[in-house]
């Protein structure tokens, strides 16, 4: 598999491919080399090496752009009325 083919995979499929190479007995570096990628490439597609295996989008919830209502500057007429300058009392 070439580097470009690997990077076209979605994150779960990429993690599965790398885990299959680990299951064959390859090291983390050998698995990445076989796919032609570096750690920086994996970070871009949100594939991470955690506890001896690859996982996809480990922190996906933190990358969401959806508003939660806890954003600073929200007004009472907005999504939330929190005031971060008041600490816990501002909630």
């Amino acid at each position: 598999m070439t580097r470009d083919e690997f990077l076209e995979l979605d994150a779960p499929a990429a993690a599965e491919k790398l885990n299959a190479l680990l299951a064959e007995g390859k090291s983390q570096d050998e698995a990445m080399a076989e796919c032609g990628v570096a750690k920086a490439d994996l970070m871009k597609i949100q594939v991470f090496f955690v506890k001896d295996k690859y996982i996809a989008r480990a922190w996906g919830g933190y990358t969401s752009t959806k508003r939660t209502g806890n954003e600073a500057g929200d007004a009472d007429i907005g999504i939330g009325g929190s005031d971060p300058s008041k600490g816990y009392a501002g909630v």
Side-chain angles (χ1 to χ4, degrees), residues 18 21-22 26-37 54:
L18 290 167
L21 293 170
L22 292 177
K26 297 189 185 292
S27 70
Q28 177 186 4
D29 292 332
E30 292 170 337
M32 288 189 308
E34 186 161 322
C35 296
V37 294
Y54 287 95

Side-chain angles (χ1 to χ4, degrees), residues 5-6 9 12 15 31 38 40 43 48 52 55 61 66 68-69 80-81 83 85:
E5 291 172 339
F6 182 82
L9 297 173
M43 290 180 72
F48 304 94
D52 299 328
I55 57 173
K66 184 177 177 182
T68 63
D83 185 356
S85 67

Side-chain angles (χ1 to χ4, degrees), residues 2 6-7 11 14 21-23 37 39 41 43-45 58 60 62-63 66 71-72 75 78 81 83 89-90:
T2 67
F6 182 82
L7 293 176
L21 293 170
L22 292 177
V37 294
K39 288 183 182 180
D41 297 320
M43 290 180 72
K44 287 179 186 175
I45 61 170
Y62 292 106
T63 61
K66 184 177 177 182
E71 288 79 15
D83 185 356

Side-chain angles (χ1 to χ4, degrees), residues 40-86:
D41 297 320
L42 296 179
M43 290 180 72
K44 287 179 186 175
I45 61 170
Q46 296 187 8
V47 173
F48 304 94
F49 190 74
V50 179
K51 296 186 180 178
D52 299 328
K53 68 177 182 176
Y54 287 95
I55 57 173
R57 300 176 199 244
W59 298 277
Y62 292 106
T63 61
S64 174
T65 58
K66 184 177 177 182
R67 294 179 62 87
T68 63
N70 294 324
E71 288 79 15
D74 280 347
D76 288 334
I77 59 172
I79 294 179
S82 62
D83 185 356
S85 67
K86 295 180 181 175

